[in-house]
Amino acid sequence: MSNPIHPHFWRQPIRYMRWASHEHPALFWSVMIGSMGPVLVIFNRPVRNYMGWERRPRIPMTYPGEYLFLNFPGWVVCDA
């Protein structure tokens, strides 16, 4: 079912995409889904913020409250 008259991409891109979606659907949809990756890198965060998504709080790296220093014999405490 190959159409002998296939449009050229640079002259008629919409017609070419319609033709490619009928004649080569696997290749067409692979390119369409693959091209969404770079687009999502740019637009993902603004869309999520618009929809109310908030970043989760960062995991604390220290114990809350005062530091507990224990001096055990043989242990070296570094002042870094």
Side-chain angles (χ1 to χ4, degrees):
M1 283 178 112
S2 180
N3 189 357
I5 302 171
H6 59 278
H8 296 284
F9 179 75
W10 298 112
R11 256 190 266 156
Q12 301 167 333
I14 301 297
R15 179 182 275 183
Y16 179 81
M17 287 191 290
R18 187 173 56 216
W19 172 84
S21 68
H22 290 284
E23 294 295 325
H24 306 288
L27 181 62
F28 173 77
W29 288 110
S30 297
V31 170
M32 284 298 171
I33 292 171
S35 65
M36 290 304 294
V39 172
L40 286 177
V41 167
I42 297 169
F43 292 109
N44 194 17
R45 184 163 303 204
V47 169
R48 287 192 299 183
N49 290 338
Y50 175 75
M51 297 179 81
W53 178 82
E54 294 178 5
R55 294 189 75 151
R56 61 183 167 84
R58 297 183 66 84
I59 297 173
M61 294 299 187
T62 61
Y63 188 80
E66 296 294 322
Y67 288 108
L68 179 63
F69 288 109
L70 298 176
N71 292 326
F72 292 106
W75 284 24
V76 177
V77 177
C78 295
D79 295 331

